Amino acid sequence: MSAPIQRCKLCQTRSKSLLFSQLRYCNKSFSSSCKLNSATKHNQVEAWQPVIGLEIHAQIKANSKLFSRANTIFGGPTNSQVAFLDAALPGTLPVLNRRCVEAGVITALALGCQINKVSRFDRKHYFYADLPAGYQITQQNNAIANNGRFHYVQYGNKESDIREKAVTILQLQLEQDSGKSLHDDLDKQSLIDLNRAGCGLMEIVTAPEFHSGDEARSFVRDLRQLLVTLGTCDGKMSEGSLRVDANISVHKPGQPLGERAEVKNLNSLSSLKKTIEFEIKRQIAVIESGGRVINETRSFDLDTGETLPMRDKEVQLDYRFMPEPNLPPLRLYHRSDLKGAMHGDKVFIDDLEKNMPVLPQERRGNLMQNYGISMYKAAFIVTENLQDIYEELVSTRNVEAFTNFFINTVAARLLANELTLDQCPIPGKHIGYIYDQYKEENINLTVAEKLIDTLLADSSVDPKEHIRLENLWQINDVAQLTELCKTIIAENPKAVSKLKRGKDRAMNTLMASARKATGDRGNTRIINRIFKELIAQSEGRD
Amino acid sequence: MAHIAGMFVIRSNQICSRLLNRQLFQCREKFKLPDKPEWIEIDPKALPPETVLDDSTIQLIERLSLVDFNNKEGVERLKSAIKYADQLCVVNTEGLEPMYSVQEHEELFLDEDVVREGNCKQEILRNAVKVEEDYFVTPPGNIPLKQKKLFDKEGS
C-alpha cells in the first residue's frame, strides 16, 4: 500500500522538499499577506498551530421577534419596538414565532444538518443591563439541529490558488437577542435601548477546525451569502444582523490544545481576519515569554484589530442553565408522520425542503460542470449574483472568450460603478449584442466598456442605435488607417527614431496619437501592425 | 306521597354513594395509591458528604445570584438546603428520561409572524428610575480596559 499523500500543513502544497518528519511543513516562506516575518519559513514556525472555532449569531429575517410580536426593523425610535415580554414585565409569557422556526429549519437543511424533530428551550442566566429578565431563552442542550457540514471557498494570491474547504457545523440553535447598550464614559453610565431585545437569532456553532484568520473570514463570507440567498438573514453586518464570536487558541502539533480566549461581537469581515491574526500572535508572545493564556472574553479595536481584556476578567461565568418551564418541546414533522387530517398549524420539514432555493455552492458546481470554467471564475460569477444572465448568454457562444469578456468587462464595469445587476438590470440581449460586435471586431474594447457604462446609467438605451448615433463603429479599413498612420509618423519624427533605435516604448506615443485621431475607434491591432510595417518599410528605404 | 318520594331520594343517594365509592376504589387501583402512608427512612451513610462552603465559593454564589447571604444565618440556611436536596441522590433514576415539565405532551403553539405589540414607549419607560432621551440609564457595563501596549505588534 502506498504512503498517503502528504501536504504542507500551512500552505497545502506537495513539495519534494517536504520535511516528512512529524512536522509536515515545506520550505516555503509566508506570503506577504501574513503578518509574520516573511523571511520565516513554514517549518521554522512549526512551533505554533492556531486553532479557531466560530459562533455566528445571525438575526432572523422576520417581521416580529422570537417570543413577542414587537417589530424588528433596524433603527426604529428608541424603545418603541418593545413588547411587555421584552421588557421582562411580570405576567408575560413567551409565544414562539412560526417564521423563526421555519428559518432555523431552512438554514439547518442548507448546512446539511441533522434536524432534531424534538427540541427544547433553556434559560441561560447572567446579569447585564441589556438583558431585562436576567436570563436569555436559548437552546443549549437540545437544539433544533446538529452535525452539519459547510463547504466554503478560500482565495489565494493567484487565481489558481483557490481552494474549496469544509467545516463541521456542530449546532444550530434558536435564541433571543439582548438589547443594545451605549456606553457614556463621560457621565459614567450606560444607556439601554430594548428594541433589539428578544429578536430571533440563529446561533451557528462550528467545530474548531479553522487555522487562520483568512479561513475564518472566507467561511463567514460564504455563510453570509448562503443566508442571504435563503432569505433567512439579511446579512447586513454593519447593522449587526450577523455577528461573530471567535474562540482562539494555539498549540504545538501533537500536543494537547491550548487554553482559549474568546473575542466577541466581531461585526465586519476585515476586522474578523485582523483580530484573529492579532490574537494568535498575542497568545504566542504570551506563551513564549513564559506566561499563560487566560480563558477570558476579550473585546477588540475596530481599526487595528488589537484585542483588549474586558473588565471582569477574573471571574468564570456560570450560566446556571435550566429548562425553560413555560415552553413545551418544539416538535417538527414530516408529512408521512401525520396521515389524513389537515395539520396547517404544524411545521413540516418536507414542505420547507421542497421550497428551498438553489444554493450558491450548487450553482458554482453547476457552472463548473456545464461550461468547464475554473472554480475561481464560477465562484466570482455566483458571488456577484450574475449566474442567470451568464447562463443565458454563454450557451450560444464560445465559453472561454465570452467568460473572460463577461468577467473582465461586464462585471468589472459593474464593480467599478459600485452597482449590482439587481439595481440596474441590463437586458441580457444587449450584453450579448455588445459582445458579439466586439468579437466580430465591429467595436473595440474601449467602446464596449463605454457602452456598458451607458447602459448601466440608462438601461432603456438600445446599443445598436447608440453606436449608430454616436458613430462608434470600429475603423477597420486598412487603407484609411494606413493614411492616418503615415500622417502620425510624419508628425512624430522623434518617436519614430526612438523606435528605430529599439526603444519599443515609443510605440505608445504613436498609438496614443492614433487613438486620439480616430476618437478611440481605431482597430488597435491593425494600427499597431501598420505602424510596424511602415517603419520597417522606411528603414528598408533608408 | 311525600315520604315515598323521600324514601326514593334516600335510596338513590345510597346507590349513588356506593357507585362513587366503587369509582374511587377503581381510581385508586389505577394510580396505585397505598391505603396508608408509607415512609422510607434514608440511611445517612447513603448520602453524599456534606458540601464544604469556603469563602471563595460563597463570594462566587453571591456574585452569580446577587443575593447577599454572607452571614451566619444565611450560610446555615444554605447548608441545610443543600443537605435536604442531597436526599435526591438516593433515588434510582436508571433508564428513566428526565421530566422537565408536566406539559411535556402539550403542543407548542406557533404564532403567525405579524407585528401586534410594541409601540408603547411611555408604558415601557414608566417604571424606570432614570431616563435620558428615551433610553434607560444604568450604571456602566462591561467596558474593555484600555491597556498600555505590552506586546509589540510585529512579534518579538
Side-chain angles (χ1 to χ4, degrees):
Chain A
M1 202 171 87
S2 60
I5 293 172
Q6 305 243 29
R7 291 172 184 269
C8 167
K9 274 202 248 191
L10 274 167
C11 68
Q12 301 300 309
T13 51
R14 271 187 299 176
S15 158
K16 287 204 185 111
S17 61
L18 209 62
L19 300 178
F20 281 109
S21 60
Q22 284 87 15
L23 305 179
R24 293 228 326 259
Y25 288 94
C26 71
N27 274 330
K28 269 205 199 156
S29 308
F30 280 104
S31 65
S32 57
S33 62
C34 175
K35 286 202 180 134
L36 288 164
N37 186 340
S38 58
T40 313
K41 297 189 190 301
H42 289 187
N43 57 28
Q44 285 170 11
V45 195
E46 72 82 24
W48 300 109
Q49 165 86 303
V51 173
I52 303 151
L54 299 177
E55 290 166 14
I56 291 97
H57 296 90
Q59 198 165 70
I60 299 176
K61 194 170 165 193
N63 299 327
S64 62
K65 298 184 178 180
L66 185 60
F67 290 115
S68 77
R69 299 291 88 76
N71 207 335
T72 53
I73 292 178
F74 178 78
T78 309
N79 283 319
S80 65
Q81 292 171 193
V82 186
F84 289 172
L85 176 84
D86 307 323
L89 297 182
T92 55
L93 288 172
V95 182
L96 184 53
N97 182 340
R98 172 191 210 89
R99 159 68 187 157
C100 291
V101 177
E102 291 175 350
V105 175
I106 291 169
T107 308
L109 288 170
L111 291 173
C113 294
Q114 182 81 21
I115 307 276
N116 297 324
K117 289 168 86 165
V118 181
S119 56
R120 297 172 199 279
F121 289 96
D122 301 310
R123 288 187 183 179
K124 178 176 176 181
H125 300 82
Y126 62 95
F127 290 110
Y128 203 68
D130 64 14
L131 198 67
Y135 61 86
Q136 174 197 34
I137 302 179
T138 173
Q139 290 185 307
Q140 184 72 13
N141 298 318
N142 301 94
I144 200 169
N146 293 99
N147 285 331
R149 197 132 174 91
F150 182 59
H151 294 265
Y152 63 97
V153 158
Q154 187 184 14
Y155 296 100
N157 288 331
K158 301 197 294 282
E159 256 190 51
S160 51
D161 288 338
I162 192 172
R163 294 266 177 282
E164 187 175 272
K165 294 196 170 168
V167 66
T168 306
I169 306 290
L170 292 177
Q171 179 151 296
L172 187 146
Q173 62 198 55
L174 296 172
E175 59 181 33
Q176 287 178 309
D177 205 349
S178 62
K180 213 181 309 193
S181 44
L182 304 171
H183 299 295
D184 185 351
D185 283 327
L186 214 60
D187 294 325
K188 297 274 183 296
Q189 61 189 18
S190 289
L191 304 172
I192 310 292
D193 176 10
L194 295 179
N195 278 352
R196 201 184 67 183
C199 282
L201 291 178
M202 289 181 290
E203 177 167 338
I204 298 170
V205 184
T206 74
E209 291 172 359
F210 300 108
H211 300 296
S212 71
D214 194 51
E215 278 187 3
R217 182 187 57 171
S218 305
F219 165 77
V220 174
R221 187 200 62 226
D222 282 359
L223 178 70
R224 186 192 155 280
Q225 185 186 25
L226 175 71
L227 295 176
V228 171
T229 306
L230 292 171
T232 53
C233 173
D234 65 15
K236 293 184 186 167
M237 293 184 83
S238 54
E239 291 184 0
S241 300
L242 197 68
R243 308 192 293 266
V244 182
D245 297 348
N247 292 294
I248 305 157
S249 72
V250 294
H251 74 129
K252 295 200 180 184
Q255 292 193 356
L257 293 175
E259 193 70 59
R260 65 184 157 113
E262 185 182 3
V263 186
K264 286 184 87 72
N265 287 334
L266 295 154
N267 59 1
S268 84
L269 291 175
S270 59
S271 67
L272 176 72
K273 181 172 175 233
K274 265 193 279 195
T275 308
I276 292 178
E277 286 176 349
F278 175 86
E279 180 61 18
I280 291 169
K281 281 165 53 195
R282 184 195 75 88
Q283 291 193 5
I284 292 174
V286 163
I287 300 175
E288 283 185 343
S289 66
R292 209 173 44 89
V293 175
I294 306 170
N295 181 347
E296 60 177 344
T297 307
R298 297 176 74 86
S299 75
F300 65 101
D301 183 311
L302 207 66
D303 303 308
T304 61
E306 283 179 32
T307 64
L308 309 153
M310 303 194 54
R311 180 163 295 177
D312 301 324
K313 66 173 183 171
E314 319 88 42
V315 177
Q316 276 262 40
L317 274 174
D318 180 352
Y319 291 117
R320 294 171 288 145
F321 286 100
M322 82 180 221
E324 168 59 55
N326 292 325
L327 295 169
L330 171 63
R331 292 179 209 278
L332 303 167
Y333 300 90
H334 284 111
R335 282 278 170 193
S336 51
D337 296 332
L338 304 164
K339 298 182 186 53
M342 292 294 287
H343 295 278
D345 49 338
K346 304 205 188 327
V347 174
F348 289 101
I349 303 173
D350 332 62
D351 293 354
L352 295 171
E353 206 165 4
K354 237 188 328 189
N355 295 328
M356 288 248 283
V358 185
L359 305 181
Q361 185 196 342
E362 211 180 310
R363 296 210 92 131
R364 203 169 56 222
N366 287 345
L367 285 180
M368 285 168 67
Q369 198 172 25
N370 296 345
Y371 307 107
I373 57 177
S374 72
M375 189 191 293
Y376 177 85
K377 294 197 170 103
F380 180 86
I381 293 173
V382 171
T383 307
E384 298 303 320
N385 209 12
L386 295 169
Q387 62 274 0
D388 289 327
I389 205 171
Y390 173 77
E391 288 200 86
E392 180 191 325
L393 297 171
V394 78
S395 38
T396 49
R397 295 176 170 84
N398 174 284
V399 171
E400 190 170 334
F402 179 74
T403 310
N404 286 335
F405 177 81
F406 190 75
I407 291 181
N408 297 330
T409 310
V410 180
R413 293 322 298 162
L414 272 172
L415 290 173
N417 286 308
E418 293 190 352
L419 294 167
T420 64
L421 211 58
D422 300 326
Q423 290 167 327
C424 9
I426 308 179
K429 61 178 194 271
H430 288 342
I431 297 184
Y433 178 78
I434 296 174
Y435 169 76
D436 292 333
Q437 295 306 309
Y438 164 68
K439 206 75 197 91
E440 291 166 23
E441 297 201 359
N442 293 335
I443 55 172
N444 66 20
L445 197 59
T446 324
V447 169
E449 286 177 353
K450 282 196 195 145
L451 276 173
I452 306 260
D453 282 344
T454 315
L455 280 174
L456 282 173
D458 179 2
S459 59
S460 64
V461 168
D462 176 24
K464 190 170 180 182
E465 267 305 299
H466 189 81
I467 296 174
R468 191 185 64 81
L469 282 171
E470 304 286 321
N471 193 14
L472 297 172
W473 294 113
Q474 183 163 248
I475 302 172
N476 291 326
D477 182 1
V478 177
Q480 182 185 354
L481 288 174
T482 313
E483 279 309 307
L484 178 71
C485 289
K486 282 184 183 165
T487 326
I488 294 180
I489 285 178
E491 289 171 1
N492 290 290
K494 255 208 219 157
V496 172
S497 64
K498 268 196 194 166
L499 259 176
K500 285 188 185 171
R501 278 179 286 141
K503 291 205 175 6
D504 292 327
R505 288 256 291 261
M507 180 61 87
N508 293 346
T509 329
L510 298 177
M511 293 299 295
S513 308
R515 271 201 292 275
K516 228 167 54 173
T518 60
D520 246 338
R521 293 183 297 133
N523 186 325
T524 46
R525 192 176 47 84
I526 295 180
I527 293 177
N528 196 309
R529 183 170 52 94
I530 294 175
F531 273 133
K532 290 204 171 105
E533 282 173 1
L534 288 174
I535 292 176
Q537 280 173 13
S538 70
E539 267 185 350
R541 279 199 297 272
D542 289 342
Chain B
M1 200 61 172
H3 76 277
I4 297 172
M7 288 293 286
F8 181 74
V9 170
I10 293 168
R11 188 80 185 122
S12 57
N13 269 344
Q14 285 173 335
I15 294 170
C16 274
S17 64
R18 214 175 287 167
L19 277 167
L20 276 169
N21 272 334
R22 198 180 317 152
Q23 271 182 333
L24 267 173
F25 179 74
Q26 283 168 344
C27 279
R28 281 222 216 108
E29 275 276 293
K30 221 168 39 172
F31 292 129
K32 300 189 191 324
L33 274 175
D35 286 326
K36 291 192 291 289
E38 288 175 12
W39 193 258
I40 302 173
E41 278 297 330
I42 294 180
D43 179 10
K45 289 198 242 357
L47 291 173
E50 195 169 309
T51 317
V52 172
L53 290 173
D54 57 353
D55 273 334
S56 60
T57 311
I58 292 175
Q59 276 172 27
L60 180 65
I61 297 175
E62 280 195 318
R63 192 192 190 96
L64 289 178
S65 64
L66 294 186
V67 174
D68 179 13
F69 65 93
N70 198 358
N71 50 60
K72 189 156 177 285
E73 192 195 332
V75 175
E76 279 308 312
R77 191 179 285 199
L78 179 61
K79 278 192 182 157
S80 69
I82 296 174
K83 197 169 169 194
Y84 189 75
D86 278 340
Q87 293 178 94
L88 287 172
C89 297
V90 174
V91 180
N92 182 8
T93 57
E94 204 177 297
L96 289 175
E97 281 293 314
M99 182 176 85
Y100 297 108
S101 153
V102 289
Q103 297 168 326
E104 187 72 13
H105 296 291
E106 292 290 313
E107 270 298 317
L108 176 55
F109 175 69
L110 297 171
D111 204 3
E112 290 308 312
D113 185 25
V114 174
V115 176
R116 263 185 271 115
E117 293 176 297
N119 209 8
C120 49
K121 185 177 61 181
Q122 294 310 322
E123 273 135 315
I124 294 290
L125 294 173
R126 207 166 70 187
N127 287 339
V129 170
K130 194 170 167 202
V131 171
E132 191 171 304
E133 285 183 36
D134 294 338
Y135 285 93
F136 292 97
V137 178
T138 70
N142 216 356
I143 304 165
L145 292 167
K146 289 242 181 307
Q147 265 193 339
K148 280 200 298 257
K149 292 197 178 135
L150 293 172
F151 304 103
D152 182 16
K153 235 198 267 195
E154 291 314 311
S156 52

